[in-house]
Amino acid sequence: MARIAGVNIPTGKRVHIALRYIHGIGPKHAAAICEQLRIDEARRVNQLSDAEVIQIREIIDRDYVVEGDLRRETAMNIKRLMDLGCYRGLRHRKNLPVRGQRTHTNARTRKGPAKAIAGKKK
């Protein structure tokens, strides 16, 4: 099992699919890495040589922000918005949708289960 950027990538999958298991590498970056190293799309991770795995590891370490560093950077950006007190930061603080979505009827995932309105009788 190949270990790249602290992640055990699955050995039975094709290389450009397996690289996506690393947080911060999506389809575009995975394809770019394979193209840069001239790895065929049909090759699987268990068919890679040790030298190729080392080359992949070096490219990711050199050119991409992945896993812990990326998660830390994202968390710091959210914390900065909350400390500033800007609109997006307040939405994060209240655990509400940040990007302008409707909340009158939707957003149950962010808002949690519906609460009954107390004291409303007819």
Side-chain angles (χ1 to χ4, degrees):
M1 184 169 273
R3 187 166 179 85
I4 299 173
V7 177
N8 292 327
I9 61 173
T11 55
K13 293 189 182 283
R14 291 185 293 177
V15 177
H16 67 97
I17 300 295
L19 286 175
R20 297 183 200 179
Y21 279 69
I22 300 170
H23 182 76
I25 295 183
K28 182 179 173 184
H29 291 309
I33 291 168
C34 291
E35 185 179 316
Q36 188 175 353
L37 294 175
R38 294 180 180 83
I39 296 174
D40 185 36
E41 279 193 13
R43 290 194 51 200
R44 309 232 171 223
V45 174
N46 54 12
Q47 296 172 341
L48 292 176
S49 66
D50 290 337
E52 288 173 321
V53 173
I54 291 170
Q55 284 180 323
I56 291 172
R57 193 175 299 134
E58 287 173 352
I59 286 176
I60 289 174
D61 288 342
R62 183 183 66 227
D63 298 337
Y64 299 98
V65 179
V66 292
E67 284 300 323
D69 294 335
L70 181 61
R71 292 180 203 273
R72 192 174 312 106
E73 185 178 320
T74 305
M76 290 304 295
N77 288 340
I78 291 171
K79 186 178 183 313
R80 178 180 50 82
L81 291 171
M82 289 167 50
D83 291 343
L84 281 173
C86 66
Y87 182 78
R88 282 174 55 203
L90 295 176
R91 301 298 282 184
H92 273 292
R93 194 179 301 156
K94 294 178 184 176
N95 201 25
L96 290 169
V98 177
R99 298 184 177 174
Q101 296 93 332
R102 174 187 181 91
T103 58
H104 179 70
T105 56
N106 294 328
R108 277 290 134 217
T109 303
R110 289 289 295 218
K111 290 168 71 174
K115 301 169 200 76
I117 300 172
K120 203 164 192 191
K121 292 185 181 179
K122 283 193 172 184

